[in-house]
């Protein structure tokens, strides 16, 4: 059973992060995490960012984060409306200015604003 969980669960600061290794668009990712009893992974410090990055590197694909553009173009917030206290934007990001409402994590752990209709790795937090 231990081998089956390898690269599927990480923990940081009391949060547990998990992936099923599948990719989906942003709305499907939200639904999948909710159905599993969690929410979409939202890093709030470097340790949590690294826990999510573990999956992104393992599966060699980007993952959506639980962060969206607010009503103010170029300003991002956690899905519940909370201001971001931690960010890890890639150089010159966010750049979508209202066109790219979702946030993805690159394989180096930095963030990029992206349209929400692309398929990205599903990573949930519990």
């Amino acid at each position: 059973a231990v081998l089956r969980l390898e690269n599927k669960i990480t923990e940081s600061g009391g949060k547990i992060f998990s992936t099923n290794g599948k990719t989906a668009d942003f709305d499907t990712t939200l639904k999948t995490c909710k159905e599993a009893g969690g929410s979409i992974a939202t890093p709030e410090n470097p340790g949590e960012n690294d826990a999510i990055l573990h999956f992104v590197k393992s599966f060699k694909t980007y993952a959506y984060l639980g962060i969206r553009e607010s009503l103010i173009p170029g300003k991002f917030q956690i899905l519940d409306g909370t201001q971001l206290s931690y960010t890890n934007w890639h150089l010159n990001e966010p750049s979508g200015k209202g066109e790219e409402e979702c946030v993805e994590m690159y394989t180096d752990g930095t963030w990029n604003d992206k349209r929400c209709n692309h398929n990205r790795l599903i990573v949930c937090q519990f």
Side-chain angles (χ1 to χ4, degrees):
V2 175
L3 286 176
R4 219 177 303 151
L5 294 177
E6 195 176 318
N7 294 331
K8 301 279 189 188
I9 294 179
T10 58
E11 186 272 335
S12 178
K15 275 190 193 172
I16 293 171
F17 298 94
S18 180
T19 183
N20 59 9
K22 296 187 171 119
T23 59
D25 63 24
F26 186 79
D27 288 338
T28 303
T29 299
L30 283 182
K31 192 168 154 249
T32 302
C33 290
K34 192 176 179 189
E35 284 170 358
S39 56
I40 185 171
T42 308
E44 297 186 65
N45 58 55
E48 292 179 359
N49 205 72
D50 287 347
I52 299 163
L53 177 59
H54 173 77
F55 298 133
V56 169
K57 283 183 170 174
S58 297
F59 290 92
K60 297 176 181 62
T61 185
Y62 303 164
Y64 280 124
L65 301 176
I67 299 165
R68 282 199 76 159
E69 195 163 30
S70 68
L71 296 173
I72 304 153
K75 193 160 172 58
F76 287 77
Q77 62 190 22
I78 295 173
L79 295 183
D80 65 7
T82 309
Q83 295 303 312
L84 294 173
S85 57
Y86 165 77
T87 61
N88 195 29
W89 294 109
H90 193 75
L91 185 67
N92 300 322
E93 297 296 344
S95 63
K97 298 185 180 38
E99 296 295 311
E100 300 175 324
E101 296 177 6
C102 287
V103 177
E104 64 184 359
M105 180 184 286
Y106 284 155
T107 49
D108 66 356
T110 60
W111 306 353
N112 170 50
D113 55 334
K114 189 78 179 169
R115 290 182 187 268
C116 304
N117 60 346
H118 297 270
N119 283 349
R120 295 292 179 256
L121 184 66
I122 298 171
V123 182
C124 306
Q125 68 185 27
F126 301 90

